Amino acid sequence: MDKATSGWISGFIGVLIFSGSLPATRTAVLQFDPVFLTVARAAIAGLLALALLLLLRQKRPAREDLVPLAVVAGGVVLGFPLLTALALQHVTSAHSIVFIGLLPLSTAIFGVIRGGERPRPAFWIFSGLGSAAVAGFALAQGLTASPAGDLLMLAAILVCGLGYAEGGRLSRTIGGWQVISWALVLSLPVMLAVSALYWPPNFAGIGAPAWLSLGYVSLFSMLIGFVFWYRGLAKGGIAAVGQLQLLQPFFGLALAAWLLREPVSWMMVVVTLAVIACVAGARRFAR
């Protein structure tokens, strides 16, 4: 199997795992405080990552890698989980999932800035059309949805794209699973401290679905998914493999409808399919 194909397969597995993140977060924030959920998931994943690094005797990252690791931690360990958890207090997971359609463009832009990639002009045309479709959906829903929720989702997409691109670049030298593991460990002291600060007075009212959702976002969304995702970005290219994220809304909408019984409007489906078509075209010109 060649390097590019291996990267696409790893990236696809990562997208499948991430597709359950927003529905799981939506379920969890119904009973957990969003700040506590954010830091608790990162703390749990950070402890697991620390154990993994010690068990496999991984050497510490070089000094020049600390700032990029801090950027990864700020984008995908803290920024995206917190902003989406706050957004999901205002909008449904089905509504928020459509915004994931902006992630490929965000990742590609930061891939150019931080990863030195140079997609062809046609790539930006297709990616721009996909982003326009998502923006048009958000504006059309503005009167019935929540502007605050939409703005939080847009901010989440921005910081996540940066974290993805920085992690993909760094994975070329220190490895995909090592990047997310060290980013989690780097943020672990802060996450443990804030977890203690926001620790609920009791957990009596927390049901099994919320606990299961916390487990999913801690183990899969925060750690295992990134093992595959960063490996895919490193092997297949940040801008190219990043286009696989356009499959995430499709899988996420299906999960939201199936697990949460949330309404999925025809417009959500049309926009999702339109964005997938646009970024499929962009993928062809990613290099």
Side-chain angles (χ1 to χ4, degrees), residues 218-242:
S218 301
L219 182 60
F220 290 94
S221 303
M222 200 83 268
L223 183 58
I224 296 176
F226 279 104
V227 173
F228 291 99
W229 183 241
Y230 279 148
R231 182 175 182 272
L233 292 178
K235 287 181 172 289
I238 295 170
V241 174

Side-chain angles (χ1 to χ4, degrees), residues 177-254:
W177 74 268
Q178 291 93 335
V179 168
I180 188 58
S181 295
W182 283 118
L184 286 164
V185 169
L186 188 65
S187 60
L188 185 57
V190 174
M191 297 303 168
L192 288 172
V194 180
S195 294
L197 185 63
Y198 279 85
W199 195 267
N202 65 78
F203 294 98
I206 308 298
W211 284 113
L212 289 172
S213 296
L214 174 59
Y216 185 90
V217 296
S218 301
L219 182 60
F220 290 94
S221 303
M222 200 83 268
L223 183 58
I224 296 176
F226 279 104
V227 173
F228 291 99
W229 183 241
Y230 279 148
R231 182 175 182 272
L233 292 178
K235 287 181 172 289
I238 295 170
V241 174
Q243 305 312 301
L244 283 171
Q245 294 165 110
L246 263 294
L247 296 173
Q248 191 170 332
F250 179 78
F251 295 131
L253 286 174

Side-chain angles (χ1 to χ4, degrees), residues 5-264:
T5 302
S6 176
W8 279 93
I9 292 174
S10 292
F12 180 74
I13 295 172
V15 166
L16 282 177
I17 293 172
F18 291 150
S19 295
S21 298
L22 291 180
T25 300
R26 171 66 174 175
T27 301
V29 295
L30 294 176
Q31 295 185 310
F32 285 114
D33 176 85
V35 176
F36 175 77
L37 175 65
T38 299
V39 295
R41 66 188 276 185
I44 294 169
L47 291 171
L48 292 173
L50 178 60
L52 189 61
L53 290 167
L54 292 174
L55 182 65
L56 298 179
R57 299 181 179 180
Q58 295 296 300
K59 66 177 183 180
R60 295 181 180 180
R63 181 176 297 179
E64 60 267 22
D65 292 332
L66 292 178
V67 172
L69 283 171
V71 172
V72 173
V76 303
V77 176
L78 177 61
F80 184 77
L82 178 59
L83 290 167
T84 53
L86 292 172
L88 287 166
Q89 291 188 311
H90 303 281
V91 298
T92 66
S93 63
H95 181 88
S96 66
I97 282 167
V98 181
F99 283 84
I100 301 300
L102 291 171
L103 256 179
L105 181 60
S106 177
T107 304
I109 290 172
F110 286 113
V112 169
I113 297 172
R114 297 295 301 153
E117 298 188 356
R118 294 293 182 268
R120 285 180 278 176
F123 168 88
W124 299 110
I125 294 174
F126 280 106
S127 290
L129 289 172
S131 299
V134 175
F137 168 80
L139 290 173
Q141 299 295 303
L143 295 177
T144 57
S146 167
D150 288 349
L151 288 174
L152 286 166
M153 282 304 303
L154 288 173
I157 296 306
L158 185 65
V159 299
C160 189
L162 174 59
Y164 280 173
E166 195 69 23
R169 184 187 68 83
L170 200 55
S171 295
R172 297 168 184 166
T173 56
I174 69 173
W177 74 268
Q178 291 93 335
V179 168
I180 188 58
S181 295
W182 283 118
L184 286 164
V185 169
L186 188 65
S187 60
L188 185 57
V190 174
M191 297 303 168
L192 288 172
V194 180
S195 294
L197 185 63
Y198 279 85
W199 195 267
N202 65 78
F203 294 98
I206 308 298
W211 284 113
L212 289 172
S213 296
L214 174 59
Y216 185 90
V217 296
S218 301
L219 182 60
F220 290 94
S221 303
M222 200 83 268
L223 183 58
I224 296 176
F226 279 104
V227 173
F228 291 99
W229 183 241
Y230 279 148
R231 182 175 182 272
L233 292 178
K235 287 181 172 289
I238 295 170
V241 174
Q243 305 312 301
L244 283 171
Q245 294 165 110
L246 263 294
L247 296 173
Q248 191 170 332
F250 179 78
F251 295 131
L253 286 174
L255 285 171
W258 178 45
L259 295 176
L260 305 181
R261 300 293 188 268
E262 290 185 354
V264 177

